[in-house]
Amino acid sequence: MFFERPASGELAVLVHLDLNNEDEPDDPREFEELVLSAGGDPVEFITGHRSSPQAKFFIGTGKLEELKDAVDRHCAELVIFNHNLSPSQERNLEKVLNCRVLDRTGLILDIFAQRARTYEGKLQVELAQLQHMATRLVRGWTHLERQKGGIGLRGPGETQLETDRRLLRARIKSIEKRLDKVRTQRNQGRRARIRAEVPTVSLVGYTNAGKSTLFNRMTDSDVFAADKLFATLDPTMRRLELPELGPVILADTVGFISHLPHKLVEAFSATLEEAASASLLLHIVDASSEERQRNFDSVVEVLEEIDAAENAQLLVYNKIDLLDGMVPRIDRDVRNRPVAVWLSAMTGEGLPLLGQAIRELLAGERVSGLFYLAPQYARLRARFYALGAVQEERPAEDGGTELRLSLAKADFDRLIKAEGVTGDALAPVSEQVPAWFESA
């Protein structure tokens, strides 16, 4: 009979190997932060170097003895590898160490399971967990044979392994069907925003880069933000009214990480589509991180995987309050278009510059905002309606009209010229703006 797997615990021994065949090795410090985020209590960190993983245990026999001594010495209940292990390697290690063994993918899935709060988030996490678990259902129930010869020894006709696989497939199919409904609902909302020509600005970036803190600062929300990896899992969207732009949808998304499990990306495709279809991506980067470039490359890799790498992007270098002598600024390209903003979401420094950059990038080819239209230009009002450019209308005190417009600049200029509008007959109306958007 296969050995019984001990229950999971919090005392954990961590294992990280430097491998010659790894192009981008994972950061041991980030690995320890992941374990702490999952609620683990690291009691020892074992490191080593190999040219390539050993087939049976991933680590060599000498390192395996060192690991077993550490587990026995600390009475550890869990061993976590900063690598992806094969199902057979996990089982072989558990049999020798007599404790639970978890790899990097399993650790990230566990963190996601803890963070999921919404119905959609829980479905996506469960789907990723089941897809991961399906690869581990090998030889776990070999004591239940299909059939045996002799009276009283004939089996049930289906091994427990096959039963588990069938149940897993059924559950995965059920979750995928529910997520298809979620995806349909998101697509409907997305199409409605496109018809109303409301731009979407999506925050993306490496986990713990400060996306939720910036989101809260911009929207006066109270989305959970903490100095831990994957503090945000469930996406949040808020509507903003910005001067010269009108309504904008701001979306906070799950953070990315190096070597993010592919199954997790697939499971969260309904959520990540918000980033793929965004009018503008705010790529949040932790400017104080020593691994800034590596983290940046990891985010770009995921954006390419979800077909969002070609979207308009604005780099936002956050946490400049942790850098000596750094002041807020906007970096521009040769065409004088904003490409990066340096700010601190925690202190609010540089947020007006971010507002300026967003306005320049989104308003360049559009006319949006509240306008006063004189009474004699009723035909122009009708033509704005015919284009579907009017988002709101309210009467003015002098008999005129205040229209909230959003349309292409070329269409706006064409109508103004055709109707011969001059002077203050069509004038912008000043509006109250968010505090963070105001000039410093």
Side-chain angles (χ1 to χ4, degrees):
M1 178 174 176
F2 195 66
F3 73 97
E4 297 294 332
R5 292 163 64 107
S8 177
E10 291 188 350
L11 294 179
V13 176
L14 313 186
V15 181
H16 172 85
L17 295 185
D18 291 321
L19 300 173
N20 292 342
N21 61 354
E22 278 187 323
D23 296 331
E24 298 180 5
D26 292 309
D27 184 2
R29 290 170 299 179
E30 179 183 84
F31 173 47
E32 191 166 3
E33 289 179 18
L34 278 171
V35 175
L36 292 172
S37 294
D41 182 12
V43 292
E44 189 165 339
F45 201 138
I46 294 178
T47 60
H49 182 276
R50 280 187 67 88
S51 57
S52 61
Q54 199 249 28
K56 187 174 183 180
F57 296 110
F58 192 88
I59 55 179
T61 53
K63 191 64 66 176
L64 180 61
E65 292 179 7
E66 180 185 347
L67 178 57
K68 183 168 176 56
D69 290 341
V71 169
D72 295 340
R73 185 169 63 254
H74 297 286
C75 296
E77 303 153 304
L78 186 62
V79 171
I80 309 178
F81 279 72
N82 191 25
H83 309 274
N84 290 327
L85 303 177
S86 69
S88 61
Q89 287 170 340
E90 272 192 16
R91 290 193 306 275
N92 293 336
L93 286 165
E94 287 181 342
K95 199 165 187 178
V96 172
L97 301 174
N98 197 33
C99 71
R100 286 278 289 114
V101 174
L102 201 63
D103 66 357
R104 181 181 174 87
T105 297
L107 175 63
I108 294 175
L109 288 175
D110 184 79
I111 296 174
F112 272 55
Q114 294 181 42
R115 300 284 193 271
R117 292 292 179 270
T118 65
Y119 170 75
E120 177 189 356
K122 291 177 180 178
L123 281 180
Q124 291 174 135
V125 172
E126 184 180 355
L127 176 61
Q129 286 181 317
L130 291 176
Q131 290 172 334
H132 181 65
M133 188 187 305
T135 65
R136 263 82 182 140
L137 290 178
V138 182
R139 294 189 63 188
W141 298 88
T142 51
H143 59 290
L144 293 176
E145 300 291 346
R146 182 186 303 272
Q147 66 179 31
K148 290 183 179 180
I151 297 174
L153 295 178
R154 292 176 177 84
E158 182 179 43
T159 65
Q160 185 64 46
L161 172 60
E162 291 168 334
T163 302
D164 289 346
R165 282 176 172 165
R166 178 167 49 80
L167 294 175
L168 271 178
R169 284 195 298 269
R171 180 61 179 163
I172 288 174
K173 189 173 182 180
S174 171
I175 293 175
E176 287 176 339
K177 187 178 295 185
R178 296 183 191 180
L179 285 175
D180 282 341
K181 289 185 178 180
V182 172
R183 189 174 289 108
T184 300
Q185 293 169 352
R186 285 189 176 277
N187 286 335
Q188 289 174 343
R190 199 175 295 122
R191 286 195 296 269
R193 292 195 296 273
I194 293 174
R195 284 195 300 270
E197 298 183 327
V198 178
T200 301
V201 178
S202 188
L203 304 181
V204 298
Y206 207 75
T207 181
N208 203 29
K211 296 183 297 299
S212 295
T213 302
L214 180 61
F215 182 86
N216 288 339
R217 179 75 69 167
M218 295 173 70
T219 61
D220 291 327
S221 301
D222 57 354
V223 170
F224 178 67
D227 186 18
K228 59 175 65 173
L229 302 181
F230 297 117
T232 301
L233 180 57
D234 300 311
T236 307
M237 305 182 76
R238 294 288 187 274
R239 181 185 176 101
L240 289 177
E241 293 289 342
L242 301 183
E244 302 178 24
L245 285 178
V248 172
I249 300 298
L250 189 68
D252 188 19
T253 62
V254 61
F256 303 150
I257 197 169
S258 63
H259 302 152
L260 188 65
H262 182 73
K263 291 297 182 185
L264 204 55
V265 175
E266 287 183 355
F268 276 75
S269 60
T271 301
L272 295 175
E273 282 173 2
E274 293 296 344
S277 63
S279 308
L280 176 65
L281 295 179
L282 298 186
H283 184 165
I284 316 301
V285 180
D286 182 355
S288 66
S289 173
E290 297 178 2
E291 300 291 333
R292 188 171 74 191
Q293 186 59 46
R294 174 176 167 274
N295 296 349
F296 174 87
D297 294 338
S298 297
V299 174
V300 170
E301 183 179 331
V302 177
L303 290 177
E304 289 175 349
E305 193 168 348
I306 62 174
D307 297 326
E310 300 301 321
N311 288 30
Q313 291 188 36
L314 175 66
L315 288 176
V316 180
Y317 290 100
N318 188 26
K319 303 186 183 182
I320 65 171
D321 53 304
L322 302 180
L323 300 174
D324 294 334
M326 181 62 69
V327 296
R329 72 172 191 266
I330 296 180
D331 295 338
R332 297 178 179 274
D333 60 14
V334 293
R335 295 182 297 169
N336 203 36
R337 288 171 57 86
V339 293
V341 179
W342 297 73
L343 55 76
S344 170
M346 183 62 69
T347 65
E349 294 179 276
L351 283 175
L353 297 179
L354 176 61
Q356 178 184 338
I358 293 175
R359 180 171 57 220
E360 290 184 36
L361 291 174
L362 289 182
E365 302 300 325
R366 298 195 61 76
V367 174
S368 299
L370 191 63
F371 293 84
Y372 165 80
L373 183 64
Q376 64 268 32
Y377 290 103
R379 192 170 69 171
L380 178 58
R381 168 184 169 276
R383 297 188 70 173
F384 280 138
Y385 267 103
L387 280 178
V390 180
Q391 297 178 328
E392 181 186 355
E393 179 180 359
R394 56 195 186 207
E397 295 180 357
D398 63 351
T401 305
E402 289 185 355
L403 300 174
R404 186 176 301 282
L405 303 175
S406 178
L407 72 164
K409 188 176 186 301
D411 290 337
F412 181 83
D413 293 341
R414 176 175 54 81
L415 292 182
I416 295 300
K417 184 178 180 180
E419 296 298 326
V421 178
T422 58
D424 295 332
L426 184 65
V429 178
S430 61
E431 298 182 83
Q432 185 177 3
V433 302
W436 64 269
F437 204 96
E438 295 175 351
S439 300

